[in-house]
Amino acid sequence: MTNSSSILRFSTADYAERDRLPMFREMFGRGVTNMDIEPLGEECRANIELRLFPGASVMWGSNTPHRFDNGYDLGKADDDCLFVWASTPGLFRQLGREVTVGAGPAVLMSCNDKAVVENGSSIHHVTLKVPRATLKPRIKGLEDAFLRLVPADTDALRLLKGYLTTVHADHAAAGIDAQRAMVLHIYDLITLALGATGDGAALASRRGLPAVRLDAMKKHVLEQLSNPSLSVNDVARRQGVTPRYVQKLFETGGSTFSSFLLASRLSLAHRRLSDPGTLSSSISTIAADCGFGDLSYFNQSFRRTFGETPSDVRNRARRHMD
């Protein structure tokens, strides 16, 4: 297992075949999850990444068929909750309940109650660990929510999955303030997905949902910068909201959709023009690749933003090659 600041990684591929199951049991089962592990086949393969934040942790994992049982040492259990979803069906047993969670839906579990989880085929899964004390005042009848399926098409769950995909892809170490904000968004989206109390729902809807929606909108814009026809209507359709709501969210973030789109395209163009590796591409080609259909407008906007022309930036990159 490797530890890089707040990121811990484990892979059975790092060990000889005879050592894989013992190490999986000891370092991951007992050391991280407080669960006993039994393979349901001849293979034992697993890859785990655990990211620790103040007040929450997120685990992305994959493994061959296994049975996980946390009943062996509940004295070491903490008073937390697990919110889990996976790529293939898994069987969950806890508190006298049993449910099969297929690809897409999510389920909440208690860390300090005996539980058994089985996956009969290879699986990819995401597990959020959050304090029970954080969820209890937010969610009406929290205990009733354990092992109750949250459908895959639940808006908050869909946004939470997208948000964590972004978190997982970003390996840069976020500052402590940014981490706390991320955890608050996670709390809010879990709250909305599970069904909040009146005050909890109001707070989550006012704070977490708009922030994560805006994050998803910006991510979509950044992925589509090369599309010259990208518009606020496209983003609205993607998110299932009105164009006016998109504009409103960008305004609450201190910008407008159009200004964010233009600034992002100009920033991308500046990076490419500054890269000596792009010297074989013309300025007009780079402008087009960044979504500018009008070269004159690109040149004017570039100079107004950076105080120099695209040719100035390109010539500086060329001099660095000499």
Side-chain angles (χ1 to χ4, degrees):
M1 181 177 290
T2 60
N3 182 351
S4 174
S5 64
S6 61
I7 303 177
L8 294 90
R9 295 184 178 90
F10 171 87
S11 176
T12 53
D14 295 334
Y15 303 95
E17 188 171 351
R18 67 178 182 277
D19 297 326
R20 289 176 180 177
L21 180 57
M23 296 306 293
F24 191 26
R25 283 172 169 164
E26 184 62 29
M27 299 185 70
F28 179 75
R30 295 178 184 266
V32 176
T33 63
N34 191 38
M35 301 188 90
D36 199 10
I37 301 173
E38 289 291 340
L40 296 180
E42 296 182 359
E43 280 191 301
C44 175
R45 288 185 288 105
N47 292 282
I48 305 294
E49 180 178 314
L50 177 67
R51 296 191 65 174
L52 307 175
F53 300 104
S57 65
V58 188
M59 181 174 67
W60 294 268
S62 63
N63 55 265
T64 49
H66 280 78
R67 181 180 190 268
F68 300 84
D69 183 347
N70 77 334
Y72 77 92
D73 195 357
L74 287 175
K76 292 184 178 179
D78 44 38
D79 196 21
D80 290 335
C81 296
L82 302 178
F83 194 57
V84 187
W85 61 86
S87 62
T88 53
L91 181 66
F92 292 73
R93 298 189 186 98
Q94 188 173 58
L95 299 169
R97 305 165 194 167
E98 180 177 305
V99 62
T100 298
V101 182
V107 68
L108 184 73
M109 301 185 72
S110 166
C111 287
N112 60 5
D113 290 288
K114 180 175 172 57
V116 175
V117 179
E118 296 179 0
N119 61 288
S121 59
S122 293
I123 196 170
H124 295 269
H125 50 86
V126 180
T127 302
L128 280 160
K129 187 175 184 180
V130 297
R132 185 190 300 246
T134 299
L135 296 183
K136 194 171 182 62
R138 296 163 169 254
I139 299 171
K140 185 177 181 180
L142 177 63
E143 287 71 20
D144 295 332
F146 292 125
L147 261 63
R148 186 183 70 206
L149 285 180
V150 178
D153 59 357
T154 302
D155 197 29
L157 177 57
R158 182 176 58 83
L159 286 170
L160 178 59
K161 290 179 179 181
Y163 188 60
L164 290 181
T165 297
T166 302
V167 171
H168 193 206
D170 182 10
H171 292 284
I176 191 67
D177 290 338
Q179 291 185 38
R180 290 193 178 110
M182 290 162 55
V183 170
L184 283 177
H185 297 333
I186 289 170
Y187 289 165
D188 289 337
L189 290 173
I190 292 177
T191 297
L192 292 170
L194 291 171
T197 61
D199 290 343
L203 178 61
S205 295
R206 183 172 65 250
R207 181 183 60 194
L209 195 58
V212 175
R213 277 198 185 278
L214 179 59
D215 182 81
M217 290 172 184
K218 288 182 176 180
K219 181 174 181 289
H220 179 63
V221 169
L222 295 175
E223 291 171 346
Q224 298 293 319
L225 290 179
S226 62
N227 178 6
S229 64
L230 180 66
S231 70
V232 67
N233 293 327
D234 297 324
V235 176
R237 281 193 297 271
R238 171 85 175 210
Q239 289 293 315
V241 297
T242 66
R244 176 58 196 140
Y245 183 69
V246 175
Q247 296 282 22
K248 182 179 179 181
L249 282 188
F250 273 91
E251 288 166 6
T252 61
S255 178
T256 65
F257 174 82
S258 297
S259 61
F260 177 80
L261 176 59
L262 176 59
S264 299
R265 282 176 168 162
L266 288 171
S267 178
L268 177 60
H270 192 283
R271 291 196 303 273
R272 292 187 176 178
L273 289 167
S274 301
D275 181 3
T278 67
L279 289 177
S280 61
S281 298
S282 67
I283 291 176
S284 60
T285 296
I286 289 177
D289 288 344
C290 294
F292 290 96
D294 185 330
L295 185 59
S296 176
Y297 174 69
F298 166 70
N299 287 324
Q300 292 173 5
S301 300
F302 193 98
R303 184 164 190 169
R304 184 168 59 248
T305 299
F306 299 112
E308 55 185 350
T309 67
S311 295
D312 293 334
V313 177
R314 166 52 57 83
N315 290 334
R316 186 164 59 248
R318 184 174 288 110
R319 287 195 298 272
H320 288 164
M321 290 289 291
D322 296 337

